[in-house]
């Protein structure tokens, strides 16, 4: 459009400035992208740029019949809205990752398409754009498998990125007091164009990363969707033995893979009929125990083996089996007389005592060395 920046709707300028300031706050090194506060600010910033894009389309600021020279200097910054949207959407971790990546990919595509419409892509970027359009799913900046060529491509792109950043910093540091109104407009235009070149460079790098991540996500196993409230209610009723009051639900709808219903349901289940279907699915709950008492006794008990009889019962059982012999002898041996046995023990002890006493008296009467006295010197 040929309108000047002063003629731009103030609402668009303010809305874009607010969203851009929020984007700079999110780029602060101290910001934690995984926190809930960061994600809330991120969604608010995305909503702000989406409003800017809607307002830009409504005002028809960009037209396919125009060229780069027809765009006012103040309008060049609005070319970056879709790029900013793509960068912000890639940081969203609250929704499905595949959906987020496709949304970011679409935003980048709109950004490149708009630049291509105004013929603002360099020759190298235009070739990359055509290569991307020909193979979106497998797009890669390193198109060759030669390690040397891949390394050279990385080095070249890194140097080019550093040159663009240095150019942008140099243009932003030019003192505004030394510039006239015409110079100020030209300097602003040059800064916007340098920023567009840097963002275009980063866009192709982001599209490369998105294609790689989408390929990895495609190889991951698909997770089953969360059950609906009706399905959760049916499963709860089935597990707790509550009859289903909804007559529209068939037996297959109330089937659950859970095999541990309440004990009361296990005990009350009839044993008639087959236990498994032809497909191997259980038709009714079952238990490996045979009685309610065994179920009850197995709930609260120590984890070690407990004794099954008392000591007296054990001795009586051993005596019955012949493990204990009365009398201590073989066949025909009579019972042992306890009184005689005790008398024999006392007499034997007395004999031993007298023998020790006589030996002590002998030792005292014959000290050591008192025997052979004839050969003393």
């Amino acid at each position: 459009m040929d309108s000047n920046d002063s003629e731009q709707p103030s609402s668009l300028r303010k809305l874009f400035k607010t969203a851009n300031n929020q984007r700079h706050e999110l780029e602060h090194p101290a910001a934690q992208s995984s926190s809930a506060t960061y994600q809330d600010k991120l969604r608010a910033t995305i909503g702000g740029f989406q409003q800017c894009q809607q307002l830009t389309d409504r005002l028809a600021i960009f037209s396919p019949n125009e060229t780069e020279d027809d765009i006012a200097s103040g309008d060049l910054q609005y070319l970056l809205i879709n790029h900013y949207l793509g960068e912000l959407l890639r940081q969203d971790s609250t929704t499905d990752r595949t959906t987020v990546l496709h949304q970011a990919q679409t935003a980048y595509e709109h950004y490149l398409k708009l630049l291509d419409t105004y013929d603002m892509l360099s020759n190298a970027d235009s070739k990359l754009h055509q290569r991307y359009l020909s193979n979106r799913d497998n797009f890669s900046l390193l198109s060759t498998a030669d390690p040397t060529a891949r390394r050279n491509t990385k080095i070249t792109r890194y140097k080019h990125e550093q040159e663009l950043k240095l150019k942008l910093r140099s243009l932003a540091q030019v003192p505004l007091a030394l510039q006239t109104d015409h110079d100020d407009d030209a300097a602003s235009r040059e800064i916007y164009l340098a920023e567009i070149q840097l963002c275009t460079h980063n866009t192709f790098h982001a599209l490369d990363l998105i294609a790689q991540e989408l390929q990895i996500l495609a190889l991951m196993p698909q997770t089953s969707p969360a059950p609906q409230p009706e399905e959760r209610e049916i499963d709860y009723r089935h597990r707790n033995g509550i009859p289903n009051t909804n007559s529209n639900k068939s037996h297959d709808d109330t089937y659950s893979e859970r095999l541990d219903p309440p004990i009361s349901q296990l005990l009350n289940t009839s044993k008639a009929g087959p236990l498994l279907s032809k497909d191997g699915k259980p038709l009714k709950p079952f238990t490996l125990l045979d009685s309610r008492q065994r179920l009850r006794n197995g709930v609260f008990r120590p984890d070690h083996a407990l004794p099954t009889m008392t000591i007296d019962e054990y001795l009586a059982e051993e005596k019955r089996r012949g493990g204990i012999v009365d009398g201590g002898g073989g066949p025909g041996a009579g019972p042992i007389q306890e009184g005689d046995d005790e008398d024999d023990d006392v007499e034997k002890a007395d004999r031993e005592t007298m023998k020790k006493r006589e030996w002590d008296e002998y030792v005292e009467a014959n000290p050591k060395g008192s025997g052979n006295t004839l050969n003393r010197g």
Side-chain angles (χ1 to χ4, degrees), residues 263 266-268 271 287-299:
I263 297 178
L266 286 172
L267 296 174
N268 295 331
K271 297 182 179 179
T287 177
L288 298 179
L289 301 178
D290 56 356
S291 66
R292 182 174 182 176
Q293 187 63 32
R294 291 187 59 186
L295 284 172
R296 181 180 299 173
N297 294 338
V299 177

Side-chain angles (χ1 to χ4, degrees), residues 288-344:
L288 298 179
L289 301 178
D290 56 356
S291 66
R292 182 174 182 176
Q293 187 63 32
R294 291 187 59 186
L295 284 172
R296 181 180 299 173
N297 294 338
V299 177
F300 301 105
R301 59 173 298 175
D303 56 354
H304 57 277
L306 298 177
T308 58
M309 61 179 66
T310 63
I311 297 178
D312 294 337
E313 292 174 348
Y314 169 73
L315 293 176
E317 179 65 20
E318 285 294 321
K319 185 176 181 180
R320 186 188 65 82
R321 295 169 53 186
I324 298 178
V325 180
D326 293 334
I336 300 176
Q337 299 296 328
E338 297 181 358
D340 298 341
D341 190 21
E342 292 179 357
D343 294 340
D344 293 341

